[in-house]
Amino acid sequence: MVFKTIGNKSNPVILFFHAMGVIGESSMLVAEKMKEKYYCIMPTSTVYCSGQRYQSKRDEIQQIVRFLENHGIKEIELAVASSIGADLAMVFLTETKITVKHVFFDGGQFAQIGKATRRIMVPFLYIAMKSLYWSKGKTLKRIMWCDDDKIKPYFIEAGKNLTYGNLRRQLGR
């Protein structure tokens, strides 16, 4: 996992759980606006980290908890979760003892999709996400609802580092 942070460590903490197909820094546009009052933490799932192997949601949570503990963070003011990040945030909320005062979920549709359907989706999602890297973001408008130049780099970086095995493991569990 890779962690990006912005803001003063002594401020209340906002923890972001990113959506599928992007890296943690995809929350940077929001975090930039909040950095004066909050310490924003944006982990990138091992699914999108070069040379890392996705193990499980539990492993991802353990990595986040270790990061928080190593930085002396005992309380989260706000957890923000988008899309498949909401699945991970639910595990974080239910399996850790770290206090989270507020939560905002934007999506979470993957929690409603069965494992068999997820397995069927893997090759299609893999090609779609890799195409964002291969085309340098030119396919974004065809796959997603927008093609804003500000978010393209986050999709491109995720597509660059994505492996078929990591995506299969993530969606299969």
Side-chain angles (χ1 to χ4, degrees):
M1 213 169 230
V2 173
F3 293 85
K4 295 289 183 181
T5 62
I6 189 170
N8 185 325
K9 291 180 181 181
S10 63
N11 286 341
V13 174
I14 298 177
L15 177 60
F16 292 87
F17 293 88
H18 65 81
M20 179 182 284
V22 293
I23 59 174
E25 282 182 88
S26 63
S27 298
M28 189 61 79
L29 297 172
V30 174
E32 281 282 342
K33 306 277 189 210
M34 305 176 95
K35 70 182 180 183
E36 299 303 319
K37 293 184 180 181
Y38 298 96
Y39 181 56
C40 299
I41 303 170
M42 297 159 280
T44 295
S45 171
T46 56
V47 173
Y48 306 108
C49 294
S50 179
Q52 295 187 26
R53 185 177 195 272
Y54 179 88
Q55 300 292 326
S56 65
K57 289 178 194 173
R58 195 162 271 122
D59 177 64
E60 300 272 297
I61 295 306
Q62 289 171 353
Q63 291 182 59
I64 292 170
V65 168
R66 271 195 306 276
F67 177 88
L68 296 173
E69 288 173 348
N70 290 341
H71 290 84
I73 297 167
K74 296 175 175 43
E75 182 176 272
I76 307 292
E77 183 68 26
L78 173 65
V80 178
S82 298
S83 186
I84 202 164
D87 285 1
L88 190 58
M90 280 303 297
V91 176
F92 181 83
L93 293 170
T94 58
E95 295 190 12
T96 65
K97 295 181 178 167
I98 297 171
T99 301
V100 179
K101 290 183 174 181
H102 307 280
V103 179
F104 177 78
F105 283 0
D106 175 20
Q109 303 88 325
F110 282 92
Q112 300 172 7
I113 299 172
K115 284 186 181 183
T117 304
R118 285 181 184 214
R119 277 192 293 273
I120 293 167
M121 293 170 62
V122 170
F124 302 104
L125 290 171
Y126 177 77
I127 293 297
M129 286 188 260
K130 286 305 264 190
S131 77
L132 294 168
Y133 167 64
W134 296 326
S135 72
K136 296 179 177 41
K138 291 178 184 159
T139 59
L140 186 58
K141 184 66 172 176
R142 294 179 187 168
I143 297 168
M144 300 295 289
W145 48 268
C146 71
D147 66 348
D148 189 317
D149 285 336
K150 291 179 183 176
I151 64 167
K152 275 184 187 177
Y154 309 120
F155 282 100
I156 294 168
E157 184 68 19
K160 174 184 170 187
N161 297 323
L162 180 67
T163 66
Y164 188 84
N166 275 347
L167 183 61
R168 183 178 38 81
R169 283 187 294 280
Q170 181 188 39
L171 292 179
R173 298 188 173 148

